[in-house]
Amino acid sequence: MTGQVADEAAVDAVLTASRTLVAVATRSLGAAAEETTIAQYRALVVLASRGPQRMTDLAAALEVTPSTAGRMCDRLLRKGLISRHRARADRRAVQVSITAAGREIVDQATARRRALIAGILGRLPARQQSAVASALAAFAAAAGEVPDSLWPADPPAAPSPAAPARRKPEPARCGTAGRS
């Protein structure tokens, strides 16, 4: 962070553009929008782009409380879009991962979004398209967004237990704050 004060004209321009980008994001969900909220979709994108996450890390990435992230994960888990498992390094910690079904939603929405954005950019001259691309790449980097080219190719499989348990373990709670 440079500590500079944001230029009001820049803030206004990004605010205006963000309305368009939110509309594009909503339209890009297509049929999945009936079952998946924008907030849930954002959680899927974080998991697709950053790999398995502890609940506290996912909550921090989404800028929500761990309990909110836990409730969101419970819903995504019921829909089969994420999986929940114990972390290998710390068996007390619970991690969540995107499933193949969740990744498919992200990939389909990304393809639709790409087409919608291409249509909008196609209305601009090439020089302006380059300027928009440079400005938005810098904006996304400043916000800590992971570029698509750096995303893991496939959802990682949930780790399998090292040895069978003698007694049935309690199921991991997605929203358990002390275990995330």
Side-chain angles (χ1 to χ4, degrees), residues 29 32-33 35-37 40-41 43-45 47-48 72-84 96-106 155-156:
L29 282 175
E35 297 293 322
T36 309
T37 67
Q40 290 171 345
Y41 176 74
L44 293 175
V45 167
L47 293 171
M72 187 182 310
C73 285
D74 288 342
R75 290 182 199 104
L76 291 170
L77 185 67
R78 282 193 299 271
K79 295 175 186 181
L81 303 178
I82 65 167
S83 63
R84 183 172 46 212
V96 289
S97 303
I98 192 166
T99 62
R103 182 64 188 249
E104 185 175 336
I105 286 176
V106 171

Side-chain angles (χ1 to χ4, degrees), residues 50-81:
R50 300 178 187 184
Q53 300 283 304
R54 291 181 317 137
M55 192 56 55
T56 54
D57 297 332
L58 179 61
L62 297 174
E63 298 183 12
V64 298
T65 65
S67 62
T68 297
R71 287 188 301 276
M72 187 182 310
C73 285
D74 288 342
R75 290 182 199 104
L76 291 170
L77 185 67
R78 282 193 299 271
K79 295 175 186 181
L81 303 178

